[in-house]
Amino acid sequence: MGDKLSLPLKPFRSRGGVKAPHRKHTAECESVVMPPPSEVLICMSQHIGVPCKPVVKPGDEVKVGQIVGDNDAFLSVPMHSSVSGRVKKIETVTMPNGSKVQAVRIESDGQMTPFEGIKPPKIETRDDFIKAVRDSGVVGLGGAGFPVHVKIGVERDKVDTLIINAAECEPYITADNREALENSWGVVSGIKAVMELMEIDRAIIGIENNKPNAIKVLNEVCREANRDMHGNVCVLPLKARYPQGAEKVLIKVCTGRVVPEGKLPADVGCVVMNIASIAFVSSYLKTGMPLVTKRITVDGSAVNRPQNVIVPIGTRIKDIIEFCGGYKCRPEKIIFGGPMMGLALPDDEMPLLKQNNAVLAFSEKEAARLEPSDCIRCGRCAAACPMGLTPPLISGLVAKGDAEGLADNGIMVCMECGCCAFACPANRPIVQNMRMGKSIVRSAKKK
Amino acid sequence: MENMLTVSSSPHLSSGATTRKIMLDVIIALVPASVAAVIFFGWKSLMLIAVCIASCTALEYICRKVMKRKNTVGDLSAVVTGLLLALNLPSGLNPLIAVFGCVVAIVVVKQMFGGIGNNFVNPAITARIVLLVSFPVQMTTWEKPFEWLKTADSVTGATPLALMSQGTSTGYMDLFLGNTGGCIGETCALALLLGGIYLVARKVISPIIPLCFIGTVFVLSFLLGGDPLFHILSGGVMLGAIFMATDYTTSPMNPAGKVIFGIGCAVITVLIRFYANLPEGVSFSIILMNILVPHIENLTRTKPFGKEKKNEKA
Ligand code: SF4
Ligand code: SF4
């Protein structure tokens, strides 16, 4: 890879962003393990690739970690049972984004018996490792659900930098903070494994500076670890400004590199992994237990006991909230993920997905939104956009349906981070508009 | 669950900024200038301010009603327009003429183009220019400051710019404090600067346009052999640069565009002052630059993140 890359001493500049309130109420709450719920619902689409096909039938006995769905497609990862028990039925559920996918409903026997086939993977080569990562079922645990084996499975020598995303810039969420505090050695050994097996030169842990305890702990373990990693790992405190944890922004602030439109991090030599994903990889290498639980933050004004919980994947929101003391008042809005990018759910029957990192239940007051009014062209949205877009200009083009103009003005780089709408004094539905613009461009391309 | 949950698009949080709060900040920022107006030009200016605010608000309300659109008086933008227009008038003006100005500002310039955010020129400035053209005598009859305290009929004076063209100069201190003839809200530079600092501190406006505007007037009038300090303190430069040229709707959004806009306003102002047959050029310069805003925006578009540069073809 030529000259040895140096580690950044301070973050590179990024543009835009907003000062979102932190509301990290649960930062000091030690994670608690939730007991197995009475049943789980394992969705066959918890990643961005083709959905899996169920490989079990109703009535089958399953154990923790047993494969219940799989698919050979490039972007797919297997799905595992998160409890032991009996398959009740295979059904169709509507995902929060409106798509319909198959799901396996499993009745738990409360025993959590691990599957007999589970053993640490044997890894000798780079390809073994990529395959093991796929078998573990891990996807980008930060929210997007991009399969990790695809991120790292690029040509040899293409990637020189591993970036660990511990920014956790969304308000309320503290699950990554807890991961760093409770499992710092797991994080570092995961980094070590990926760096060695994937022949990556340096690793940068990007973390917002509103988590001083986590930074301290990570710094300590990195100092230890650097003895046998030639000082190639560093913790980079970032300013606490939403959205530092957005992949492209994080790459820019950690390395100064700009991911070109329509390209992937690997095209600028980076692999970005969420801190929870890297810690999971390390534990998988040790135990061989696939991804069956997830640490999430449960918070919001409608929840009785906000806290961090380690939950079996597929547990219904209802059961999770029940475990957290139930609802304090009637919830007006339930969100999967953070308040800036999270999805509002139609009900609390939805099962937890691998890529979710929070469940927020807002009371009526907290969910209240103002009516949109006319755009006053104040430019706050454009100033806040980390991607350098000009929303009022784009809204005009969306109204005209001008696909070419939209593409020229960069609509496709919009990551729907919500900074624009957050900043807008007229409460314009800018993010919806952006989505509309993207679909105009996509359908024009198809023609 | 029996109760339906709200399903709305992200983000589920907002910064809390609203149009109303922004307009309220602008009104607060105009308080010092309004107070100065009343001190120097007396109750007549207070009446002008009241008449303009009341008629702008009423007109906005009526327009929205007639057009069957959602009413927007609550956003306070009509109050801002009324206040700005009043501050741009001479103290002795007949209030009926002021009301006519409000009709131009709110009905013609603002609502006929679709209301807030859709007008392409600044309502208050356009109204001032229309009044200037329709009532040239009344609009340029200036009263001397503090005349209102005397019992005799008020004596008319001249603006510092007019005095200068006759060869009389006005002291810097008088200019800075506003102890001169002129529109009621434009004379006191001190009050306007206070308001400007407030707006910048509250992040309501970016300082780019005022700085470029005032700075360029300073430099350019110096280069052309004028007295730079006099030129930035006299006439409508402060009021125009801080409050009129920074109007969101009629100025460019991104920083590069703001620089061009500010400098452009200043250049036209100075050229009018030095070479045209008019004593003052701030209003005309701003309205001309307002018209150019779409072109400036086109030239200064920000480059989206990671977008490859295309061969520059306009
Ligand atoms: S922030 Fe809202 S009001 Fe301001 S320019 Fe953008 S869309 Fe318009
Ligand atoms: S949602 Fe899109 S347009 Fe809005 S700030 Fe984020 S990237 Fe920019």
Side-chain angles (χ1 to χ4, degrees):
Chain A
M1 209 65 263
D3 293 333
K4 188 170 172 266
L5 283 162
S6 57
L7 291 168
L9 298 172
K10 61 175 179 36
F12 291 82
R13 282 170 56 110
S14 62
R15 56 161 298 153
V18 291
K19 270 204 206 111
H22 298 309
R23 305 201 184 152
K24 306 268 189 191
H25 313 128
T26 52
E28 301 305 320
C29 306
E30 184 113 16
S31 323
V32 280
V33 179
M34 184 177 162
S38 59
E39 60 171 35
V40 293
L41 191 61
I42 309 285
C43 286
M44 291 295 110
S45 177
Q46 310 196 16
H47 48 73
I48 61 165
V50 190
C52 293
K53 285 194 193 69
V55 296
V56 287
K57 321 179 286 303
D60 284 3
E61 292 284 337
V62 290
K63 305 226 169 91
V64 181
Q66 186 174 343
I67 293 182
V68 294
D70 206 349
N71 194 315
D72 293 335
F74 175 58
L75 283 168
S76 296
V77 293
M79 302 294 157
H80 303 88
S81 174
S82 56
V83 291
S84 56
R86 182 186 300 277
V87 176
K88 216 162 130 191
K89 71 179 198 228
I90 313 280
E91 58 190 72
T92 305
V93 293
T94 311
M95 302 293 278
N97 65 6
S99 62
K100 291 200 181 339
V101 296
Q102 281 186 304
V104 178
R105 194 179 286 276
I106 303 165
E107 208 170 22
S108 165
D109 59 11
Q111 301 296 317
M112 296 301 260
T113 328
F115 182 54
E116 307 78 33
I118 285 175
K119 54 175 191 307
K122 257 217 344 261
I123 291 170
E124 270 148 17
T125 64
R126 196 171 174 271
D127 290 341
D128 285 350
F129 179 62
I130 296 171
K131 176 162 182 307
V133 169
R134 181 186 183 280
D135 291 343
S136 76
V138 67
V139 295
L141 298 183
F146 197 88
V148 171
H149 71 277
V150 181
K151 286 194 199 185
I152 58 172
V154 292
E155 304 116 70
R156 195 176 286 249
D157 280 356
K158 195 169 177 190
V159 168
D160 57 17
T161 306
L162 170 66
I163 297 173
I164 303 303
N165 189 351
E168 201 160 58
C169 52
E170 278 261 13
Y172 294 91
I173 308 180
T174 59
D176 289 351
N177 175 52
R178 292 317 302 176
E179 188 80 55
L181 288 172
E182 293 166 23
N183 188 17
S184 53
W185 273 108
V187 173
V188 172
S189 55
I191 293 176
K192 209 165 134 185
V194 172
M195 282 173 77
E196 273 164 15
L197 289 158
M198 304 310 300
E199 298 157 28
I200 295 174
D201 306 333
R202 61 168 178 175
I204 304 165
I205 306 177
I207 179 164
E208 278 192 357
N209 61 16
N210 60 357
K211 295 180 260 300
N213 294 339
I215 293 178
K216 200 165 131 243
V217 172
L218 287 172
N219 260 324
E220 273 161 26
V221 289
C222 283
R223 204 171 308 130
E224 286 275 307
N226 267 330
R227 289 208 198 106
D228 49 311
M229 280 196 271
H230 320 290
N232 280 344
V233 183
C234 80
V235 179
L236 184 65
L238 312 171
K239 65 176 181 233
R241 192 172 174 85
Y242 181 83
Q244 295 280 317
E247 198 163 64
K248 287 182 177 179
V249 177
L250 190 69
I251 292 173
K252 177 78 202 316
V253 293
C254 287
T255 66
R257 297 174 190 170
V258 172
V259 182
E261 186 186 10
K263 293 283 161 79
L264 293 171
D267 295 309
V268 293
C270 295
V271 164
V272 182
M273 279 175 77
N274 179 268
I275 186 166
S277 317
I278 197 94
F280 166 75
V281 166
S282 125
S283 92
Y284 179 72
L285 294 180
K286 263 190 228 114
T287 64
M289 175 57 83
L291 185 66
V292 291
T293 59
K294 184 74 201 283
R295 179 188 275 106
I296 60 164
T297 301
V298 182
D299 200 349
S301 46
V303 179
N304 254 327
R305 279 204 312 275
Q307 56 189 319
N308 283 292
V309 196
I310 298 175
V311 185
I313 286 161
T315 307
R316 289 168 307 175
I317 306 292
K318 209 159 69 174
D319 300 330
I320 299 174
I321 304 264
E322 200 57 39
F323 177 72
C324 295
Y327 294 113
K328 199 193 269 174
C329 55
R330 191 182 75 81
E332 176 66 36
K333 196 187 247 183
I334 296 182
I335 304 166
F336 250 173
M340 295 298 284
M341 289 188 75
L343 270 171
L345 302 178
D347 56 45
D348 59 3
E349 296 284 335
M350 261 313 283
L352 185 79
L353 307 177
K354 289 177 180 176
Q355 67 267 39
N356 294 140
N357 43 15
V359 171
L360 304 177
F362 284 176
S363 67
E364 197 171 343
K365 189 160 152 257
E366 202 172 15
R369 290 204 57 171
L370 294 165
E371 279 290 296
S373 53
D374 285 339
C375 167
I376 55 171
R377 285 186 34 91
C378 64
R380 281 173 172 73
C381 49
C385 178
M387 295 287 114
L389 307 182
T390 311
L393 173 75
I394 290 179
S395 304
L397 296 167
V398 169
K400 274 191 265 169
D402 177 355
E404 201 183 322
L406 284 168
D408 273 353
N409 284 295
I411 181 113
M412 296 321 269
V413 302
C414 170
M415 52 191 181
E416 298 173 22
C417 65
C419 291
C420 46
F422 175 83
C424 179
N427 221 339
R428 307 289 313 153
I430 307 177
V431 178
Q432 279 121 293
N433 231 310
M434 291 285 160
R435 288 193 194 112
M436 222 185 280
K438 286 188 194 175
S439 62
I440 292 176
V441 174
R442 275 195 214 106
S443 53
K445 265 201 200 122
K446 264 185 216 138
K447 271 178 214 155
Chain B
M1 224 180 320
E2 326 88 74
N3 292 309
M4 282 298 281
L5 296 173
T6 309
V7 181
S8 60
S9 159
S10 61
H12 309 284
L13 270 186
S14 130
S15 57
T18 61
T19 306
R20 186 187 163 89
K21 283 188 200 157
I22 292 171
M23 294 300 159
L24 201 59
D25 267 340
V26 178
I27 295 169
I28 293 172
L30 282 168
V31 166
S34 312
V35 170
V38 178
I39 293 175
F40 289 120
F41 302 104
W43 61 270
K44 281 192 202 156
S45 35
L46 191 60
M47 193 182 67
L48 274 182
I49 292 174
V51 165
C52 286
I53 291 180
S55 35
C56 280
T57 311
L59 285 164
E60 170 114 345
Y61 182 81
I62 296 168
C63 278
R64 300 300 285 195
K65 262 265 138 72
V66 171
M67 298 194 298
K68 300 207 168 52
R69 311 268 296 262
K70 199 169 80 190
N71 230 305
T72 48
V73 256
D75 68 18
L76 298 182
S77 62
V79 174
V80 171
T81 305
L83 185 51
L84 277 175
L85 176 59
L87 295 180
N88 269 298
L89 300 174
S91 55
L93 194 75
N94 182 339
L96 284 178
I97 297 181
V99 172
F100 174 65
C102 295
V103 173
V104 174
I106 296 291
V107 182
V108 182
V109 180
K110 192 178 172 194
Q111 293 301 345
M112 299 226 306
F113 285 91
I116 191 166
N118 293 311
N119 47 295
F120 67 99
V121 285
N122 185 312
I125 292 223
T126 315
R128 181 188 181 184
I129 291 177
V130 170
L131 293 184
L132 203 59
V133 177
S134 330
F135 304 93
V137 180
Q138 290 93 325
M139 281 295 286
T140 50
T141 308
W142 316 105
E143 288 175 358
K144 277 193 174 159
F146 297 120
E147 274 310 308
W148 63 286
L149 292 174
K150 300 176 187 144
T151 41
D153 271 354
S154 48
V155 179
T156 56
T159 65
L161 282 164
L163 286 174
M164 186 197 64
S165 49
Q166 296 154 18
T168 332
S169 70
T170 316
Y172 291 139
M173 208 52 197
D174 283 341
L175 284 170
F176 185 65
L177 294 177
N179 190 13
T180 65
C183 297
I184 60 169
E186 72 181 15
T187 63
C188 183
L190 174 65
L192 293 166
L193 284 171
L194 281 179
I197 291 168
Y198 176 79
L199 288 184
V200 171
R202 300 276 297 164
K203 297 212 164 72
V204 171
I205 60 169
S206 122
I208 299 177
I209 292 179
L211 289 182
C212 289
F213 196 153
I214 298 170
T216 310
V217 168
F218 189 88
V219 172
L220 204 60
S221 50
F222 175 75
L223 291 178
L224 291 176
D227 174 350
L229 208 52
F230 172 81
H231 275 281
I232 60 168
L233 291 175
S234 63
V237 171
M238 289 287 167
L239 180 60
I242 298 171
F243 290 99
M244 319 286 270
T246 52
D247 172 37
Y248 291 147
T249 311
T250 55
S251 67
M253 259 186 234
N254 62 44
K258 286 186 172 37
V259 172
I260 299 181
F261 184 84
I263 294 177
C265 288
V267 170
I268 300 174
T269 302
V270 173
L271 290 182
I272 292 180
R273 283 188 179 179
F274 278 73
Y275 300 112
N277 224 344
L278 289 164
E280 174 56 315
V282 172
S283 309
F284 288 99
S285 72
I286 295 178
I287 205 172
L288 280 172
M289 292 307 289
N290 284 166
I291 296 169
L292 290 179
V293 165
H295 302 286
I296 298 175
E297 299 240 279
N298 263 336
L299 285 175
T300 57
R301 268 186 221 168
T302 39
K303 188 171 82 72
F305 187 93
K307 185 115 187 141
E308 303 293 344
K309 260 201 211 103
K310 281 213 295 190
N311 297 340
E312 289 299 336
K313 260 184 279 166

